[in-house]
């Protein structure tokens, strides 16, 4: 053995993930070192003057490329909050996943490869899913419990035992509860693991809520970043968020309007494109309303209508005017099903109040919302507004898919309610090929495998999620409406929470919520920050305790679809947890034992669960299948068979269309009036807004309200660009940011219109500083004509990477976004003015923490 090989052998105490991989592939460790050295010398290390090439060097087959029949094949699913849930198939040797593939039809069809039908389409993974193995074995895997040793945010940790880490957390939890009361701990669990039935992270019904609720100390975060404005609209208008069709219904549309929706990037269902392509083949026309010409627009050859961000409600009001003025509304549908569309459909108790038509025609405020009026605000010509209104009102059936992004704005709820008004006035609700979405939740899944408990998810205060920093920084001088404090019927009503600690489970919220600099000020005031994750994330850097969590490949569960899709996918424990990881359920159970409610928290387990989870998880999952799925959902397949197939796809008798029974069978809507409420009974009756969770006035009918920042605002003199931050194709929010394969496909960059760039002397690849009063980021420019002038685009989810002057060199747009929430609770991510220039003072962009090993795509671009 050479000197170097000996040194490596002596210094490597912990086997790395790669070494474990090779070990499990039965490579002798010494052979492995030898072959790496052979490779190293072939790559030029011989130039160091060392004689590294063993004399018996010879060609050999590269061993990890094992043939399929040498590997075990295990069906599982992809995960996280990405807009879908596709199948992943692991091919493993021993305890190592060697490669991944995806659905090819064979698993549910007893080996018949290639079956892919309208009723049972394959669940084929995208590039992110297929690269999951790189995430599993990434260098950023968190393998051991860690405790902070430096200043908070400095990123210095020491390795700890589970006993030490959990002991510390349990001790501090008790201390904080005792000292500061039942609101001291903030629940910031989110959707990283929402779509499993057992190991769930979730704002609403996840394991952290169960744990903190039972502990008796919990401030809840109630507003959902994705679509709070939309949820509000769906609830007020239809009485439910289940206003979605399954994707196959798209195949029957004659016109699809993608309003702020880019399904080529942001999945909302697993086979959307497949069914929309069918519609295209049948002659469906497509329209895209978006400040950028998207890949969806290009794929369907859509009519692209660029719109000033945040002005959608005005454009829709202009369309409604055109429809009313030309008598194109479906008056029969309105009369039968709608409340408050016009004077005739106002409820008796509200006669004389403003109906939607009063507002649109200008009868109540003297301002007719004509297409010309709208054009001044939204920048779309009056002719185009009228043309689209005509097309929508005269093409049947037509799907106006109003996605969530334009609702992620100041007064975003008005956009969503206005969209619902258009859907209702054209009679496109409850019909195949039409669309009432909204939130768009379609098929109902049985989502929870752990038992109900009355204390699970109990909270003692509940605030708008992106106001936690505001609350901490200003405590106790905070008004309830500033933080959207949810009303209560007891003595805690109106009590401002005294937040002293945060738990992150399944969320990277420090990186993902608005106005990160404000969060940075607030976090310094806290006494405890706990991060439970499988990855060392940007949030984790700011934690006191890091708890390593087993990924969904390393525990037993069943996957649920996202908002659309009708299937379950079995998730066996494909490999043993890496490092010392434990599942979320194991960690909470052990903590609950330390705090005195372990048996109640996890009734099927004993304390041994921390070391032995298999039988307990199997028991919960079997119970769920046999007592929920089988009886409630007409399934006859036994649990054992489901496990063997790995997937269960429901065959629906007809495409699922929301509200079909309401329209065809007269079933009432779940609103107070039983009708579609364009005039909302609930909102019309609120007198003191400060006593509601909204905090501020919301009109009973949809209206155009000026956002607090837009291209029409005087602030454009200082900050002339409107920044929007959509969801990235190559990441699921922040997840996958560290995967080099994916960073090769796209780069974090700022998209700028060519005329704006020319004026500023900016070219593709130039490093750009973008800033406003809230913060500054650095990233490369992408210059194009596919983005309207005045608008710039930075995709959300880049891992923050601060320099010593507080610039984020990673290019995370949430250093620029505003934490002021919209009244209904919508996060105003896309309400954001900025300015920009070519980077000064040698400031650079850092695309990843692994700067030197990072993707080269943008380097190539710079060479253009
Ligand atoms: N500027 C801007 N910002 C945005 C948005 C925007 O449009 N613009 N969109 C917002 C939206 S809609 C969303 S949903 C949020 C998303 O915000 P987050 O939910 O914070 O984002 P993710 O990156 O999905 O983070 C999920 C984390 O969960 C971890 N995780 C995954 N599985 C498990 C598990 O089983 N257990 C545990 N303990 N952890 C797990 C992952 O490793 C990851 O770190 O981002 C928001 N941020
Ligand atoms: N690949 C991928 N898919 C995802 C996710 C992901 O992170 N990655 N995240 C999932 C999650 S949690 C969510 S919440 C959904 C989000 O789904 P969406 O809200 O539909 O997605 P976004 O990407 O934010 O925005 C969609 C389009 O809206 C446009 N847009 C932005 N502002 C405005 C505006 O003011 N008016 C108009 N008309 N258009 C505007 C953007 O340019 C973009 O093309 O996506 C889900 N799917
Ligand atoms: S769309 Fe989502 S679930 Fe499907 S493979 Fe991609 S990342 Fe995974
Ligand atoms: Mo979301």
């Amino acid at each position: 053995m050479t000197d170097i090989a000996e040194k490596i052998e002596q210094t490597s105490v912990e086997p790395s993930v790669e070494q474990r991989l090779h070990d499990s592939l039965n490579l002798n460790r010494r052979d492995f070192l030898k072959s790496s050295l052979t490779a190293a010398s072939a790559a030029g290390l011989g130039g160091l003057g060392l004689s590294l090439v063993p004399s018996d060097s010879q060609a050999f087959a590269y061993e990890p490329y094992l043939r399929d029949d040498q590997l075990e094949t295990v069906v599982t699913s992809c995960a996280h909050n990405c807009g879908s849930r596709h199948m992943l198939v692991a091919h493993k040797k021993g305890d190592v996943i060697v490669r991944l593939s995806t659905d090819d039809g064979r698993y549910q069809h007893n080996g018949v490869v290639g079956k892919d039908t309208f009723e049972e389409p394959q669940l084929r993974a995208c590039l992110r899913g297929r690269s999951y193995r790189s995430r599993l074995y990434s260098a950023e895997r968190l393998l051991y419990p860690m405790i902070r040793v430096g200043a908070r945010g400095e990123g210095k940790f020491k390795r700890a035992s589970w006993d030490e880490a959990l002991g510390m957390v349990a001790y501090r939890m008790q201390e904080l509860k005792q000292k500061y009361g039942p609101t001291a701990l903030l629940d910031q669990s989110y959707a990283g693991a929402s779509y499993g039935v057992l190991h769930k992270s979730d704002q609403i019904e996840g394991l952290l809520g169960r744990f903190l609720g039972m502990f008796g100390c919990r401030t809840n975060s109630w507003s959902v970043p994705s679509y709070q404005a939309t949820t509000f609209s769906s609830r007020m208008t239809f009485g439910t968020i289940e206003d979605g069709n399954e994707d196959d219904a798209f195949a029957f549309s004659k016109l699809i309007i993608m309003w702020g929706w880019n399904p080529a990037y942001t999945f909302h269902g697993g086979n959307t494109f497949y069914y929309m392509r069918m519609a295209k083949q049948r002659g469906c026309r497509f329209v895209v309303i978006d400040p950028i010409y998207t890949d969806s627009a290009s794929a369907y050859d859509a009519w692209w209508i660029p719109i000033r961000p945040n002005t959608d409600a005005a454009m829709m009001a202009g369309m409604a005017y055109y429809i009313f003025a030309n008598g194109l509304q479906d008056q029969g549908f309105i009369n039968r099903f709608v409340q408050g569309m016009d004077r005739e459909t106002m409820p008796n108790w509200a006669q004389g109040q403003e109906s939607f038509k009063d507002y649109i025609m200008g009868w109540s405020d003297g301002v007719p919302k004509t297409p010309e009026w709208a054009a001044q605000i939204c920048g779309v010509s009056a002719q185009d507004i009228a043309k689209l209104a005509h097309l929508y009102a005269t093409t049947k059936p037509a799907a106006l898919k109003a996605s969530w992004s334009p609702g992620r704005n100041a007064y975003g709820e008005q956009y969503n309610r206005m969209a619902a008004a258009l859907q209702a006035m054209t009679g496109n609700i409850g019909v195949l090929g039409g669309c009432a979405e909204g939130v768009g939740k379609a098929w109902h899944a049985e989502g929870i495998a752990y038992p109900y408990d009355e204390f699970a998810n109990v909270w003692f205060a509940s605030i708008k999620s992106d106001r936690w920093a505001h609350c901490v920084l200003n405590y106790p001088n905070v008004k309830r409406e500033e933080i959207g404090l949810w009303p209560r019927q007891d003595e805690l009503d109106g009590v401002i929470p005294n937040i002293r600690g945060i738990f992150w489970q399944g969320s990277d919220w420090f990186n993902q919520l608005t106005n990160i600099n404000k969060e940075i000020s607030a976090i310094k005031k806290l006494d405890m920050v706990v991060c439970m994750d499988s990855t060392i994330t940007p949030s984790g850097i700011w934690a006191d305790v890091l708890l390593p969590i087993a990924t969904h490949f390393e525990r037993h569960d069943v996957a649920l679809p996202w908002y659309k899709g009708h299937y379950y996918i079995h998730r066996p424990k494909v490999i043993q947890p890496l490092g010392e990881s434990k599942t979320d359920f194991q960690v909470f159970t052990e903590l609950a034992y330390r705090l005195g409610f372990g048996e109640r928290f996890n009734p099927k387990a004993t304390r041994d669960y921390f070391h032995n989870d298999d039988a307990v998880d199997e028991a919960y999952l079997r119970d769920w299948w046999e007592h929920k799925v089988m009886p409630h959902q007409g399934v006859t397949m036994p649990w054992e068979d489901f496990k063997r197939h790995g997937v269960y796809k429901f065959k629906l008798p007809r495409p699922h269309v929301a509200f079909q029974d309401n329209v065809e069978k007269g079933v009432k809507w779940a609103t107070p009036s039983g009708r579609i409420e364009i005039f909302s009974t609930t909102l019309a009756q609120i007198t003191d807004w400060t006593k509601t969770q909204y905090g501020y006035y919301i009109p009973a009918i949809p209206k155009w309200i000026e956002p607090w920042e837009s291209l029409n605002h005087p602030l454009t003199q200082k900050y002339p660009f409107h920044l929007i931050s959509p969801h990235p194709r190559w990441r699921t929010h922040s997840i996958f940011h560290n995967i080099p394969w994916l960073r090769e496909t796209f780069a974090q960059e700022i998209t700028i219109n060519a005329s704006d760039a020319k004026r500023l002397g900016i070219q593709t690849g130039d490093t750009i500083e973008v800033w406003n009063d809230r913060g500054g980021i650095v990233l490369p420019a992408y210059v194009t004509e596919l983005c309207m002038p005045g608008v710039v685009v930075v995709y959300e989810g880049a891992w923050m990477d601060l320099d010593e002057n507080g610039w984020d060199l990673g290019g995370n747009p949430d250093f620029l976004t505003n934490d002021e929430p919209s009244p209904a609770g919508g996060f105003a991510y896309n309400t954001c003015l900025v300015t920009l220039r070519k980077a000064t003072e040698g400031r650079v962009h850092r695309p990843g923490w692994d700067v030197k090993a990072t993707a080269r795509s943008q380097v190539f671009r710079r060479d253009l």
Side-chain angles (χ1 to χ4, degrees), residues 471-491:
C471 186
V472 167
L473 288 170
N474 297 291
Y475 183 84
N477 301 313
V478 181
K479 292 202 188 94
R480 61 186 295 165
E481 59 268 29
E482 288 171 35
I483 52 169
L485 192 64
W486 201 282
R488 295 175 63 99
Q489 303 303 327
D490 59 15
E491 69 288 351

Side-chain angles (χ1 to χ4, degrees), residues 82 265 267-268 290 310 312 403 405 408 727-728 731 733:
C82 78
Y265 275 33
F267 279 66
H268 279 243
D290 200 305
N310 288 215
D312 304 87
S403 197
S405 186
R408 242 179 267 118
H727 292 210
R731 289 190 296 259
H733 315 289

Side-chain angles (χ1 to χ4, degrees), residues 81-84 126 128 190-191 195 225-227 258-269 288-292 294 305 307-312 401-409 415 562 722-735 793 795-796 830:
N81 187 21
C82 78
S84 189
C126 79
R128 287 171 284 153
Y190 198 55
Y195 301 92
S226 312
Y227 53 53
M258 296 182 264
W259 203 304
W261 188 42
N262 179 13
Y265 275 33
T266 31
F267 279 66
H268 279 243
V288 164
I289 296 150
D290 200 305
I292 49 181
T294 58
I305 304 180
I307 184 170
R308 284 184 199 137
N310 288 215
T311 63
D312 304 87
K401 161 74 187 178
S403 197
W404 307 339
S405 186
R408 242 179 267 118
N409 278 327
Y415 147 79
W562 211 60
H722 194 127
L723 169 80
I724 54 172
S725 44
H727 292 210
R729 186 177 195 176
W730 69 110
R731 289 190 296 259
T732 298
H733 315 289
S734 70
I735 300 175
V793 187
Y795 287 92
E796 58 107 323
N830 290 316

Side-chain angles (χ1 to χ4, degrees), residues 593-614:
Y593 269 104
R594 286 169 189 246
L595 295 165
F597 56 96
E599 280 165 25
R600 180 158 193 177
F601 180 77
N602 187 346
K604 283 196 197 296
T606 62
R607 195 156 179 183
D608 181 51
Y609 183 68
F610 197 65
H611 303 290
N612 259 323
D613 54 342
D614 291 346

